[in-house]
Amino acid sequence: MQDRTEPKSQLRSRLMKSRDLMDEAIRQHAMSEVSLVAKQELQRLRQDKQRLTIFSYLSYRSEASTAFLFEDGWKHGDRMFAPKVLANPARMELRRVAGEHDIEPGVWGIPEPKDTCEVLQREEWPNIDLVIVPGLGYDLHGGRIGYGGGYYDRFAEQLEEECFKAGKRPLLAALVLPGQLQDDIPMDPFDLRMDLLITTEGILHIE
């Protein structure tokens, strides 16, 4: 249970420790269920569009694994993109990942696309169908707490600008492991909010 007065830094630390210490058998079972739910949602999205455009983080350490997502996307001919972190100014590029050969260790050892991978230009972002966002915790209002770098919040702000011009926007979703769903995540006005939470129990649609 989350204390509503808990500072963000303390909440991050608590959720990170809980995720890192999760029993591996529980993690594997949860990921099996989450991946099944996610694949069902992808199949639903493919009813309207034969080939999806998906932007997802490449999982690292104790994060919910996205390996299944990329494998499923490649299998169905989806256009798969992943973030590459850049400095000065701190931002993310969305680069296409056509297979495992396009992935290498990047900043802090986190997997990311190689420099040779195609960049999805900002004006093309509204054409993304689904964004899978990393995080430490989520709530039933779509609230999310990330790692504190602000990369996805800046991405969301830029995405909103492009989507306003284009008149369409992607679905923003998260893969939720046991213990990550909180009663209430403290949110600032410009913080990124989820549309879908993909859990072991099914999809939670945020109104």
Side-chain angles (χ1 to χ4, degrees):
M1 187 70 68
Q2 183 202 343
D3 178 359
R4 287 176 177 269
T5 63
E6 186 176 15
K8 276 191 174 183
S9 59
Q10 186 177 321
L11 177 59
R12 282 193 185 96
S13 178
R14 176 171 65 81
L15 291 173
M16 178 68 84
K17 183 177 180 181
S18 174
R19 196 181 72 184
D20 286 347
L21 294 176
M22 187 183 302
D23 181 84
E24 190 57 30
I26 293 175
R27 181 191 308 281
Q28 292 297 328
H29 180 68
M31 275 311 311
S32 176
E33 294 184 328
V34 166
S35 64
L36 181 61
V37 172
K39 287 178 182 178
Q40 291 171 343
E41 179 66 14
L42 291 171
Q43 285 299 99
R44 187 189 68 79
L45 293 174
R46 289 191 188 104
Q47 292 176 1
D48 299 322
K49 197 171 184 180
Q50 187 174 4
R51 186 177 71 161
L52 300 177
T53 299
I54 299 172
F55 171 48
S56 170
Y57 69 96
L58 292 162
S59 49
Y60 181 62
R61 292 184 175 171
S62 64
E63 288 182 314
S65 176
T66 56
F68 78 90
L69 184 77
F70 283 88
E71 290 167 5
D72 187 72
W74 294 328
K75 173 184 170 183
H76 286 89
D78 295 335
R79 299 173 71 226
M80 305 298 297
F81 291 85
K84 185 174 185 66
V85 173
L86 303 174
N88 301 318
R91 66 194 189 283
M92 296 189 303
E93 279 185 341
L94 281 56
R95 288 183 175 262
R96 187 168 184 181
V97 179
E100 290 184 7
H101 58 275
D102 283 334
I103 301 170
E104 65 182 4
V107 179
W108 308 296
I110 299 171
E112 63 180 28
K114 294 180 178 179
D115 289 334
T116 53
C117 293
E118 168 197 351
V119 177
L120 188 68
Q121 300 301 323
R122 179 169 159 171
E123 60 269 21
E124 299 178 83
W125 292 0
N127 295 324
I128 300 170
D129 297 293
L130 181 68
V131 178
I132 302 293
V133 183
L136 290 166
Y138 312 91
D139 66 27
L140 294 178
H141 306 289
R144 162 191 174 268
I145 186 164
Y147 300 99
Y151 286 96
Y152 279 85
D153 292 317
R154 286 191 289 274
F155 162 72
E157 191 174 346
Q158 295 168 348
L159 176 65
E160 194 68 29
E161 292 174 10
E162 296 301 326
C163 289
F164 180 78
K165 290 185 280 187
K168 58 180 179 178
R169 66 184 290 273
L171 287 171
L172 305 181
L175 307 176
V176 183
L177 292 172
Q180 289 192 306
L181 196 57
Q182 302 291 295
D183 292 331
D184 184 59
I185 298 290
M187 297 287 286
D188 293 321
F190 296 106
D191 283 350
L192 183 62
R193 287 187 179 271
M194 302 293 98
D195 299 307
L196 303 175
L197 299 179
I198 303 173
T199 78
T200 58
E201 304 297 322
I203 297 282
L204 297 176
H205 296 265
I206 308 302
E207 298 296 332

